[in-house]
Amino acid sequence: MRYGSISLALLCLYASNSFAALEVITSSEKQTLNKIEDQYDIDTLLITVNDKFSQLNKKAYDIENIKKTIVAEQNRYNELITELPKVIRAKTALADTYKKIEDSVNLVDELTLKAEQDSKLLETEKVEILSEYEVINNKRTTKSQQLFKLKTDITNRLIADLSKSTSTLPVNINGSTECSKYQTIADCLKESKSSILSNTRNESPFLNDKSVLLSYEVLDANMNMKGDLHYKVAMKFKPSYNNKIDTILNEKLGLVSAMVTLISNVPADWYVNGTKVGTGKKLFHEIPLGKHGILASYQNQDKSSVENIEGNGVFNYKFNEVASTQKVSNKPKMDTSEVKNVILKQAPKQVQPSVQQTKAKYTLFSDQTSIKLSDDDAKKNSSDNSYEYFMGVAPANKKQNIEFTNEPVNK
């Protein structure tokens, strides 16, 4: 059997009482929502602090390299001291050895001072950046409070209106169904009534399976020789506040969260709004809807972006292949002056800009948690409606270009 679909627009069109324009959110409430969104916009703040945090990670990595160089130079100094008695006895290259020892001591002192100074500056910058994130989080918290207050006001209005003894929801539908050629119109309509009522209750946010039917009248019905029955039915229900309305409000006001999948080609450190959420090539993290700064850090490389999270999505940040870091002591020895030049005069590398991508469409959940998943688990949990982003990788062919940009394939 096939039944007529009942659109929400149709429900409002045929309503004839004071609930003819029955809406979950009124136009004035939508204006209040827009005002809250504008008042607590954090786009500029989030972009600025995310860039600063990216640079902070690079500086921390450079300091770690300086400390490794200090350890390597101390080991070199110890080797020179160990070999010194032999040099003294041999009375060869004595001056050169003393010069190397002196240079080694001076280099360790210079690098130690630089590491201490850079660490203090880094700590100061870290405190400033965290305070900027705190400002953003406070704005986000205040915004959530305003949205919850708006939801409470909307809920109270709906409950008050729907609880009135005079409140009813008239529904007029035009539909069709397939009957047996040997059935009468009355028998076919009687058989179809339960499905018509069920479909009507499912379509309206103001009705559920417990909604009371106040009246049901067939206004018109006709059937052709093939058994196709066309009908017009007028119904009247007692509307009520239910879980469907609550779900709609949460989605409209952004009071739900989404599960994002963070993927990289290397075991990156992942940060969301300045807070580390995990390390790995693949991570699942639950995050409230709205604007968030996402940063992936690997060695001295960073990929970051500010995303408007509207539901479940996949973010893929691709890094340039970097050889695994070796201990400095295992590398060919450099002259002391060369080491000093490399460490003290090294120019900072520029942040590689991440590729701008089209925003994803998403779904729900709340609680800021992250979990590491296997490839199979990720496939099971990924939504069919989610989109994938590739940061820092260019398409190799036309097929990849279509996949990366989400453009439809011409058939």
Side-chain angles (χ1 to χ4, degrees):
M1 287 184 144
R2 65 176 187 272
Y3 303 99
S5 62
I6 309 149
S7 67
L8 295 182
L10 196 59
L11 294 180
C12 295
L13 178 64
Y14 283 93
S16 57
N17 64 358
S18 59
F19 285 84
L22 193 59
E23 294 177 294
V24 175
I25 301 180
T26 64
S27 58
S28 63
E29 289 163 347
K30 288 177 183 175
Q31 289 177 0
T32 302
L33 174 59
N34 292 334
K35 185 178 178 181
I36 293 172
E37 294 288 352
D38 293 340
Q39 184 178 355
Y40 297 99
D41 181 62
I42 57 173
D43 279 17
T44 304
L45 290 174
L46 201 51
I47 291 170
T48 302
V49 73
N50 215 44
D51 288 342
K52 289 181 181 178
F53 189 68
S54 176
Q55 293 299 320
L56 191 74
N57 281 342
K58 289 181 180 297
K59 292 177 182 178
Y61 183 82
D62 290 341
I63 291 172
E64 286 303 312
N65 280 340
I66 291 175
K67 290 179 179 178
K68 289 177 183 178
T69 305
I70 291 172
V71 172
E73 190 59 34
Q74 287 172 336
N75 292 335
R76 182 171 176 273
Y77 169 83
N78 291 334
E79 290 174 5
L80 290 169
I81 294 299
T82 302
E83 294 294 323
L84 186 59
K86 292 181 182 179
V87 175
I88 292 174
R89 291 189 189 98
K91 296 182 180 180
T92 57
L94 194 58
D96 184 54
T97 301
Y98 281 137
K99 181 70 168 62
K100 287 180 180 179
I101 292 174
E102 181 184 354
D103 289 345
S104 181
V105 171
N106 290 336
L107 179 59
V108 169
D109 288 346
E110 287 181 29
L111 293 181
T112 301
L113 179 62
K114 180 173 175 56
E116 290 175 353
Q117 291 174 341
D118 289 354
S119 295
K120 288 180 181 178
L121 288 173
L122 187 73
E123 193 60 34
T124 302
E125 288 181 31
K126 183 179 179 181
V127 171
E128 291 174 356
I129 289 172
L130 290 177
S131 66
E132 289 182 42
Y133 272 120
E134 187 65 25
V135 170
I136 292 172
N137 289 334
N138 287 338
K139 291 193 76 171
R140 197 179 266 127
T141 300
T142 306
K143 177 183 176 181
S144 294
Q145 291 171 347
Q146 293 292 322
L147 291 174
F148 273 111
K149 182 181 181 300
L150 177 59
K151 181 188 175 183
T152 301
D153 292 342
I154 295 172
T155 302
N156 290 339
R157 172 186 62 77
L158 286 169
I159 291 175
D161 288 344
L162 299 177
S163 298
K164 293 176 182 177
S165 58
T166 55
S167 70
T168 59
L169 181 64
V171 181
N172 284 21
I173 63 169
N174 289 298
S176 64
T177 186
E178 215 170 75
C179 308
S180 167
K181 291 188 290 185
Y182 305 104
Q183 275 185 306
T184 64
I185 292 178
D187 288 341
C188 188
L189 286 171
K190 184 177 180 181
E191 184 180 296
S192 304
K193 182 178 178 180
S194 61
S195 295
I196 294 171
L197 291 174
S198 177
N199 289 341
T200 305
R201 289 187 173 107
N202 289 336
E203 287 289 338
S204 173
F206 300 99
L207 302 176
N208 58 21
D209 56 357
K210 296 180 181 178
S211 296
V212 177
L213 177 65
L214 301 177
S215 65
Y216 183 92
E217 181 183 0
V218 178
L219 301 178
D220 188 24
N222 59 79
M223 184 168 62
N224 61 23
M225 297 299 293
K226 293 180 180 179
D228 293 330
L229 176 66
H230 296 269
Y231 58 83
K232 182 176 180 180
V233 176
M235 295 169 278
K236 188 177 290 186
F237 292 88
K238 175 64 180 176
S240 63
Y241 190 92
N242 57 74
N243 290 337
K244 287 195 288 184
I245 295 177
D246 200 63
T247 299
I248 291 172
L249 284 177
N250 286 337
E251 290 176 351
K252 293 284 187 182
L253 302 180
L255 298 176
V256 291
S257 58
M259 186 69 77
V260 294
T261 308
L262 307 173
I263 298 176
S264 179
N265 59 321
V266 295
D269 293 326
W270 294 94
Y271 299 84
V272 175
N273 300 326
T275 301
K276 187 174 181 179
V277 298
T279 301
K281 292 186 176 181
K282 185 176 296 181
L283 207 69
F284 267 26
H285 183 66
E286 203 161 5
I287 188 172
L289 301 187
K291 302 286 179 65
H292 297 277
I294 300 175
L295 184 142
S297 178
Y298 178 68
Q299 295 186 0
N300 67 338
Q301 298 183 72
D302 283 336
K303 301 285 183 182
S304 67
S305 61
V306 173
E307 301 295 339
N308 183 22
I309 306 300
E310 299 173 346
N312 296 339
V314 180
F315 296 90
N316 194 326
Y317 290 14
K318 184 176 175 64
F319 288 84
N320 294 331
E321 293 297 333
V322 180
S324 56
T325 307
Q326 297 178 349
K327 293 183 179 178
V328 181
S329 58
N330 292 336
K331 294 181 179 179
K333 293 182 180 177
M334 300 173 65
D335 183 73
T336 311
S337 60
E338 293 179 7
V339 175
K340 188 186 299 184
N341 185 57
V342 169
I343 299 299
L344 297 180
K345 298 182 180 180
Q346 185 180 30
K349 296 182 180 178
Q350 293 182 348
V351 185
Q352 295 182 357
S354 44
V355 178
Q356 198 115 30
Q357 301 294 337
T358 310
K359 296 291 181 290
K361 304 296 177 188
Y362 310 80
T363 352
L364 341 160
F365 276 175
S366 72
D367 178 37
Q368 299 228 2
T369 56
S370 347
I371 50 175
K372 218 172 180 178
L373 295 181
S374 66
D375 290 349
D376 292 337
D377 290 333
K379 288 177 182 177
K380 291 177 183 176
N381 285 279
S382 294
S383 168
D384 292 336
N385 295 323
S386 63
Y387 291 75
E388 190 168 13
Y389 295 77
F390 292 85
M391 300 295 183
V393 56
N397 51 49
K398 184 177 180 181
K399 181 181 178 183
Q400 283 191 0
N401 184 63
I402 293 170
E403 291 172 348
F404 288 8
T405 57
N406 294 320
E407 294 177 355
V409 179
N410 293 324
K411 295 185 178 179

